[in-house]
Amino acid sequence: MSEEGHRRTAMSPVEQRVAALEALLTERGLVPEGFIEEITRRYESEIGPMNGAKVVARAWVDPRYKEWLLAEGTAAIAELGFGGPEGDHMVAVENTPAVHNVIVCTLCSCYPWPVLGLPPAWYKDPPYRARMVREPRALLAEMGCRLPGDTEIRVWDSSAEVRYLVLPERPPGTEGMTEAALAGLVTRDSMIGVARL
Amino acid sequence: MSGQLSLQGMDLPRRNGELAFDEPWQATAFALAAAVVDHAYGGDREPFRQQLIKTIAADPGRPYWESWTAALEALTETLPEPPPAS
């Protein structure tokens, strides 16, 4: 094989397609210098479930904030500095002993980016997107979240209009903990609703 | 926005989150879509989202970031012509 052939095969077909898109869009002036690096850095290091965890912890320690969060999610979340793409209309849904909430996007992969970052791989896969609507209790159990039979499960289908965030129940025995320590307890999966704390 | 998102003083490990991207090309594809949304559609994410929905529906078993790339390719073909360079 020629040297050029070697070089070509070093890139997978999809990598070649992305490289072609990058060249084309850059040529059309749509990709400013450093834009790709900046976006990537931001989503890898600044935007993620640790943001949602701060929102949840604040709601746990501050009843007025919690009330605001449940009434006006986008504004209450913006108060903590989180907003931007895919976070225009955020709605927080509260877990209680009687009600368990879980989020899904049946059409694609809508997800509350500002508070949870980018969705995990399974969230984007067809089985999760289909089964969470059809048989949420069974799927939750398979994912390790077993709910009492009398717990109502509410499945929220995300869309361009609304992105949901689950407000998990505060675990027992955490009464003396600081807000920052509480935030450390909150997992991504609990804010999607596929786990309890 | 990024200034407000500073996490200084909050020492939260990222055990909650998976790495956002498995391979660099996925990050590039993601950022290119953001570039198109921001700079060709004035921040309107709906054209890309609709294209992504269509593309996923056309081949539901395709890996997610490949669908993403295919959606971006399709949308790129329909972009309005840029104004002539001054």
Side-chain angles (χ1 to χ4, degrees), chain A residues 69-167:
Chain A
L69 176 67
L70 294 174
E72 297 177 68
T74 309
I77 288 167
E79 172 75 10
L80 298 193
F82 309 129
E86 308 291 316
D88 296 335
H89 302 286
M90 288 196 280
V91 172
V93 288
E94 183 187 16
N95 281 354
T96 68
V99 175
H100 182 86
N101 297 282
V102 60
I103 64 175
V104 66
C105 175
T106 54
L107 288 178
C108 50
S109 53
C110 297
Y111 194 69
W113 289 0
V115 282
L116 293 185
L118 298 178
W122 50 260
Y123 184 88
K124 300 174 287 194
D125 284 345
Y128 179 82
R129 289 170 24 226
R131 292 187 61 208
M132 191 50 84
V133 175
R134 219 167 48 224
E135 43 174 357
R137 195 175 298 274
L139 180 56
L140 284 170
E142 281 175 36
M143 296 179 84
C145 181
R146 284 179 187 77
L147 298 168
D150 57 353
T151 301
E152 179 191 346
I153 300 175
R154 292 183 188 159
V155 180
W156 300 89
D157 192 358
S158 310
S159 68
E161 289 73 38
V162 182
R163 303 298 162 90
Y164 299 96
L165 173 73
V166 174
L167 175 59

Side-chain angles (χ1 to χ4, degrees), chain B:
Chain B
M1 181 172 79
S2 54
Q4 291 179 300
L5 287 170
S6 168
L7 294 169
Q8 283 173 3
M10 281 290 289
D11 187 25
L12 291 179
R14 276 171 75 78
R15 65 184 170 82
N16 280 341
E18 299 173 357
L19 266 183
F21 307 107
D22 299 323
E23 296 183 48
W25 68 265
Q26 297 172 352
T28 304
F30 174 75
L32 288 174
V36 167
V37 167
D38 281 1
H39 304 127
Y41 287 98
D44 181 5
R45 291 179 294 282
E46 199 55 19
F48 181 73
R49 178 175 170 274
Q50 288 302 333
Q51 186 62 54
L52 182 61
I53 288 172
K54 252 189 277 178
T55 308
I56 289 176
D59 185 358
R62 175 167 46 192
Y64 179 77
W65 287 109
E66 291 186 24
S67 292
W68 181 283
T69 301
L72 187 57
E73 285 170 339
L75 195 65
T76 296
E77 282 174 19
T78 67
L79 286 181
E81 281 300 312
S86 53

